[in-house]
């Protein structure tokens, strides 16, 4: 049996966390819960379990991997690094972690925060300095969404670093809600049934991107980030844009969740249980071949002496009654 991706903690409740080295907290955040409290330990165990399961389900991390954790300064990437560090100490496979931040030269960006945090934490890290901010502001007209170009420039810089430094996996901090929101964005504005996969091979085939937080609800990341008092750095480039379609989709899901608790989880579950035969994409399912399959089944039934109509009927779904 391969030792690959067996990162799921055997005893999640017995985990430890890195030293408390994040004195800065996001504006307006509540006082952090004591990290030795039962509530915090349960929350940490829950996140470790979900991340470990995602890593195991999708074989995200192999023995000997060098994993680059892309650290933006937001709650998601801080939580990702924290949980991976915790799992690294107890995992049956050996893997290295390096935190990488892209300093996009946004005005007012507190460049000292992440290096100070990571140095105190004792985590290997590197800061890539690239003025993508000026490029985006020059190319994108005022009032237009900046995300697409910004994302491409950021991805290019991170891929270059990965290629030049022996990185085998690139870990991003996208969580469950990010994945569901992306599906609706692609449906509503791109006409495609597509989301963010937990594990992805880049278009050039040179990089593997993983999303270990794929099973984690955003609300639990928010609770964890408050408890750990991470030094949150807000994005003033795209996060402040009020016209983002993602903002509208997030509001739609929030409203749904308020009226029908558990709906987001159900949608994500649907993404993990896809029946291509019940969709309408001839590139992913052999619809023309159904006639041949039917003829084969009828021939086999006749050869076995099974009268027509004796086969068990299809199971009906509750909404078909």
């Amino acid at each position: 049996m391969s030792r690959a991706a067996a990162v799921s903690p055997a005893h999640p409740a017995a985990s430890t966390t890195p030293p408390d080295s994040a004195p800065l907290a996001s504006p307006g955040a509540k006082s952090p819960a004591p990290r030795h409290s039962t509530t915090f330990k349960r929350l940490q165990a829950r996140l470790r379990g979900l991340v470990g399961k995602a890593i195991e389900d999708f074989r995200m991390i192999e023995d000997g991997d060098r994993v680059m954790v892309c650290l933006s300064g937001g709650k998601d990437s801080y939580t990702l690094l924290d949980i991976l560090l915790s799992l690294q100490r107890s995992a049956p496979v050996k893997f290295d972690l390096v935190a990488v931040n892209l300093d996009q030269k946004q005005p007012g960006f507190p460049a000292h925060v992440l290096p100070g945090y990571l140095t105190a934490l004792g985590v290997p890290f590197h800061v890539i300095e690239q003025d993508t901010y000026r490029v985006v502001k020059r190319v994108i007209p005022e009032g237009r969404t900046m995300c697409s170009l910004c994302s491409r420039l950021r991805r290019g810089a991170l891929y270059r670093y990965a290629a030049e430094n022996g990185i085998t996996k690139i870990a991003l901090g996208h969580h469950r809600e990010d994945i569901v929101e992306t599906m609706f964005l692609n449906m509503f504005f791109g006409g495609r049934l597509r989301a963010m996969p937990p594990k992805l091979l880049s278009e050039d085939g040179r990089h593997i991107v993983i999303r270990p937080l794929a099973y984690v609800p955003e609300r639990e990341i928010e609770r964890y980030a408050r408890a750990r008092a991470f030094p949150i750095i807000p994005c003033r480039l795209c996060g402040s844009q009020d016209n983002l379609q993602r903002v509208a989709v997030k509001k739609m899901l929030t409203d749904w969740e308020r009226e029908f608790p558990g709906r987001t989880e159900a949608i994500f579950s649907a993404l993990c249980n896809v029946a291509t035969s019940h969709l309408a994409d001839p590139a992913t399912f052999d619809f023309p071949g159904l006639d041949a399959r039917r003829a084969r089944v009828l021939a086999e039934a006749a050869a076995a002496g099974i009268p027509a109509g004796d086969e068990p009927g299809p199971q009906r779904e509750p909404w078909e009654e």
Side-chain angles (χ1 to χ4, degrees), residues 159 169-172 197-202 207-211:
Y159 280 5
K169 302 289 171 60
I170 300 173
L172 303 180
K199 186 177 181 181
L200 170 73
L201 182 66
S202 63
H207 306 283
I208 292 181
V209 176
I210 59 175
R211 296 181 170 96

Side-chain angles (χ1 to χ4, degrees), residues 1-14:
M1 180 178 180
S2 172
R3 298 178 65 218
V7 182
S8 183
H11 303 287

Side-chain angles (χ1 to χ4, degrees), residues 113-136:
V113 172
L114 285 172
Y117 173 79
L118 295 168
T119 298
L121 204 58
V123 176
F125 71 93
H126 178 76
V127 176
I128 304 170
E129 296 190 16
Q130 182 171 318
D131 193 352
T132 61
Y133 177 83
R134 187 182 304 176
V135 174
V136 171

Side-chain angles (χ1 to χ4, degrees), residues 281-292:
D281 186 354
T284 60
F285 185 79
D286 183 18
F287 292 103
L290 290 179
D291 295 278

Side-chain angles (χ1 to χ4, degrees), residues 236-280:
R236 294 182 175 85
L237 177 60
C238 57
S240 60
Q241 291 185 273
D242 295 328
N243 61 331
L244 292 181
Q245 299 291 2
R246 184 173 289 272
V247 174
V249 169
K250 180 181 283 289
K251 181 181 183 303
M252 177 191 76
L253 289 173
T254 300
D255 293 343
W256 279 359
E257 192 68 26
R258 186 180 299 113
E259 187 173 359
F260 306 102
R263 173 163 287 189
T264 303
E265 183 177 0
I267 295 171
F268 180 80
S269 179
L271 286 174
C272 302
N273 294 277
V274 177
T276 56
S277 62
H278 285 56
L279 297 177

Side-chain angles (χ1 to χ4, degrees), residues 39 56 162 165 169 178 197 245 276 284 294 305 321:
T39 300
E56 187 171 6
N165 291 274
K169 302 289 171 60
D178 286 327
Q245 299 291 2
T276 56
T284 60
R294 173 181 176 272
E321 298 296 340

